């Protein structure tokens, strides 16, 4: 009974945080923790210090890069690839969105690609919904495969003590995510009517509600620091990947190999300093960048929600194992359902990972099974409540990309569901092989 009451407090804190939005998710998480500690005398669990440090340092390095145009340079390279094969935009748009999110560690970089994707699709008379919906899904899938994203860092911190470190996670997530995106893109090429046959597009066109997109500027030169900062940042990401895959590259400190989480923190700090020194970035401009604010919000959200979840699991781990262990042992797919539902409520892969993965570990699920089912965190797109979904719908003046009348019938549902199912189907056997 006591566990049920405490669990209800955790769920209520999450729901109120989601309703408040932004920093409110973290703030309500801390309120829920306060109720558990002061009202039920529960010992506070471990705060997620490593994850918060990774979020802060990655966001800082990315924001320093953005001050000198590094983000613009990266987007321009993606634009050239997409425009080189305009008729293949349904495949190239998500590919670029995925790769850039993997490199930057945040899906926010996808926003800069939106005008490019829409412009290419419109000028080719292709239904914009197809590449836009796929690119939106891919932007979040990239977070699951990024060595410097908060979500992947969260999973690595939780699973590394159980012998499943960052390198193994990436070996599973890359092929699983790519397979999921390819299958979803193949299906998406047949979704909806072509623009010439779409009544809503024809109505808007006749009413003069559509303004043709402006051509994308690929001629004007970006300053050299833009390219250099992007290369430094991406070099740091590659270094993290190498050290995650090859543990011998990490030094032995105090008789133990340096952890991947500490490696990420140190490398991202080095990246920021190198951009300051080589590219002459202005420190005063870093907090003003578009990447910085949402990153800080994410760190606060992780602090509140993850600390609350850690406290609840630590206090009730025996009861959780007893009451839920048999059900999950017999029906492991229930763990994937739990990931998807919590992701739907929090719209955050990292918050979901922090809240649910410790429960999976407490239930005795192997790190391989947890990793194989981890793509279910893409359940954040089940409801059309995510900022990237709303921004994508707003970009499409043709009306082909939509929220839907009945909430669940939005443009992102089909590709996102296909991605989850295929990624898990590929990830589970692959994780068993890697593990």
């Amino acid at each position: 009974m006591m566990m049920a009451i405490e669990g209800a407090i955790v769920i209520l804190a999450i729901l109120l945080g989601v309703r408040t939005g932004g920093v409110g998710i973290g703030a309500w998480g801390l309120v829920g923790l306060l109720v558990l500690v002061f009202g039920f005398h529960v010992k506070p669990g471990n705060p997620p210090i490593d994850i918060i440090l990774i979020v802060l340092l990655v966001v800082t390095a990315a924001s320093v890069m953005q001050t000198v145009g590094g983000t613009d340079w990266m987007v321009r390279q993606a634009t050239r690839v997409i425009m080189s094969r305009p008729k293949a935009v349904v495949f190239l748009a998500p590919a670029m969105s995925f790769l850039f999110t993997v490199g930057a560690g945040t899906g926010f970089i996808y926003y800069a690609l939106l005008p490019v994707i829409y412009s290419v699709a419109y000028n080719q008379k292709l239904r914009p919904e197809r590449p836009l919906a796929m690119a939106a899904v891919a932007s979040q899938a990239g977070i699951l495969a990024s060595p410097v994203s908060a979500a992947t860092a969260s999973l690595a911190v939780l699973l590394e003590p159980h012998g499943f470190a960052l390198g193994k996670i990436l070996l599973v997530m890359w092929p699983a995510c790519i397979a999921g995106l390819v299958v979803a893109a193949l299906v998406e090429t047949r979704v909806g009517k072509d623009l010439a046959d779409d009544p809503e597009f024809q109505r808007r066109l006749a009413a003069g509600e559509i303004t043709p997109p402006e051509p994308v500027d690929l001629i004007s030169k970006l300053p050299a620091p833009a390219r250099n900062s992007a290369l430094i940042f991406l070099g740091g990401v590659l270094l993290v990947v190498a050290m995650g895959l090859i543990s011998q590259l990490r030094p032995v400190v105090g008789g133990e190999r340096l952890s991947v989480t500490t490696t990420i923190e140190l490398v991202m700090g080095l990246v920021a300093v190198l951009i300051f020194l080589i590219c002459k970035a202005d420190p005063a401009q870093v907090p003003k960048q578009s990447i910085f604010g949402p990153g800080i919000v994410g760190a606060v959200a992780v602090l509140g929600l993850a600390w609350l979840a850690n406290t609840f699991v630590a206090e009730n781990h025996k009861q959780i194992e007893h009451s839920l262990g048999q059900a999950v042992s017999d029906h492991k797919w229930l763990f994937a359902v739990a990931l998807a539902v919590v992701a739907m409520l929090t719209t955050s892969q990292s918050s979901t990972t922090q809240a649910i993965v410790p429960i999976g570990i407490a239930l005795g699920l192997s790190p391989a099974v947890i990793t194989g089912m981890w793509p279910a965190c893409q359940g954040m797109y089940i409801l059309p409540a995510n900022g990237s979904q709303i921004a994508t719908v707003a970009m499409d003046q043709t009306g082909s990309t939509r929220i839907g009348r009945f909430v669940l019938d939005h443009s992102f549902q089909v590709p996102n569901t296909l991605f989850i199912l295929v990624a898990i189907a590929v990830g589970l056997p692959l994780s068993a092989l890697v593990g």
Side-chain angles (χ1 to χ4, degrees):
M1 178 63 70
M2 189 61 66
M3 184 185 77
I5 295 173
E6 293 172 2
I9 292 171
V10 173
I11 294 171
L12 180 61
I14 292 174
L15 292 175
L16 290 172
V18 169
R19 185 173 181 179
T20 304
V23 193
I25 296 176
W28 275 110
L30 292 173
V31 170
L33 178 62
L34 182 146
V35 172
L36 292 182
V37 173
F38 283 82
F40 296 86
H41 305 288
V42 174
K43 181 181 177 181
N46 296 322
I49 301 301
D50 271 329
I51 297 159
I52 293 171
L53 287 176
I54 288 174
V55 172
L56 291 177
L57 287 165
V58 170
V59 165
T60 299
S63 299
V64 175
M65 174 184 67
Q66 192 176 20
T67 63
V68 290
T71 304
D72 296 334
W73 184 85
M74 292 171 68
V75 169
R76 186 166 289 193
Q77 308 317 305
T79 301
R80 288 195 173 98
V81 172
I82 293 172
M83 296 185 72
S84 67
R85 298 285 189 275
K87 292 190 180 299
V89 65
V90 179
F91 297 94
L92 292 178
M96 290 299 99
S97 180
F98 176 78
L99 289 173
F100 275 68
T101 298
V102 167
T106 172
F108 292 112
I109 196 169
Y110 154 74
Y111 288 23
L113 294 175
L114 274 174
V116 177
I117 299 168
Y118 175 67
S119 176
V120 170
Y122 184 90
N123 290 326
Q124 292 295 315
K125 302 303 178 187
L126 298 172
R127 186 179 181 86
E129 176 190 25
R130 297 167 184 168
L132 285 173
M134 274 307 309
V137 171
S139 72
Q140 300 305 316
I143 290 175
L144 302 177
S146 172
V148 290
S149 72
T152 306
S154 299
L155 188 65
V157 169
L158 292 168
L159 296 187
E160 188 172 18
H162 302 274
F164 216 90
L166 177 64
K168 291 184 177 180
I169 293 172
L170 295 179
L171 286 174
V172 174
M173 283 300 104
W174 264 82
C177 288
I178 291 173
L181 291 174
V182 168
V183 172
L186 286 169
V187 173
E188 193 68 16
T189 58
R190 298 183 175 276
V191 168
K193 298 179 179 179
D194 292 333
L195 280 186
D197 303 320
D198 190 305
E200 176 60 20
F201 169 68
Q202 297 300 333
R203 184 196 69 77
R204 293 189 181 196
L205 193 63
E209 297 177 6
I210 298 177
T211 303
E214 297 181 1
V216 180
D217 178 19
L218 292 176
I219 299 175
S220 62
K221 290 189 65 175
L222 291 172
R227 179 200 61 203
N228 295 340
S229 66
L231 293 178
I232 292 171
F233 186 89
L234 294 175
V237 172
L238 291 176
L239 183 59
V240 168
V241 172
M243 289 186 171
L245 293 173
I246 307 171
S247 61
Q248 289 79 5
L249 295 177
R250 287 177 271 135
V252 175
V253 181
E256 295 183 356
R257 190 75 63 182
L258 188 69
S259 70
V260 174
T261 52
T262 303
T263 300
I264 295 173
E265 294 159 6
L266 296 177
V267 170
M268 285 297 107
L270 174 63
V271 165
V273 169
L274 288 176
I275 297 174
F276 277 129
L277 294 175
I278 297 173
C279 304
K280 309 301 181 186
D282 182 0
Q285 297 299 315
V286 174
K288 301 176 183 178
Q289 302 307 306
S290 60
I291 294 176
F292 193 82
I296 299 301
V297 170
V300 174
V302 168
L303 170 63
L305 192 58
W307 200 358
L308 173 63
N310 290 349
T311 299
F312 173 74
V313 171
E315 177 69 13
N316 298 285
H317 70 279
K318 291 184 179 179
Q319 295 93 320
I320 291 172
E321 291 176 10
H322 178 72
S323 59
L324 299 179
Q326 189 60 46
V328 174
S329 296
D330 295 340
H331 307 286
K332 289 185 173 61
W333 55 268
L334 289 174
F335 180 74
V337 173
L339 284 172
V341 170
V342 174
M344 177 183 70
L345 296 174
T346 63
T347 69
S348 168
Q349 295 106 317
S350 58
S351 297
T352 300
T353 301
Q354 281 294 314
I356 299 300
V357 169
I359 295 177
I361 294 172
L363 293 175
L365 291 179
S366 70
V369 169
I370 291 173
T371 303
M373 292 188 178
W374 194 47
C377 284
Q378 197 80 351
M380 61 182 295
Y381 264 19
I382 292 175
L383 297 177
N386 189 274
S388 58
Q389 292 168 294
I390 296 170
T392 303
V393 171
M395 175 59 62
D396 186 0
Q397 292 186 32
T398 69
S400 67
T401 311
R402 64 199 184 284
I403 293 296
R405 287 185 177 182
F406 306 104
V407 182
L408 294 177
D409 60 331
H410 53 81
S411 293
F412 312 92
Q413 196 69 270
V414 170
N416 191 61
T417 302
L418 283 171
F419 168 80
I420 293 173
L421 294 176
V422 174
I424 291 178
V426 173
L428 275 174
L430 190 58
S431 61
L433 182 64
V434 170

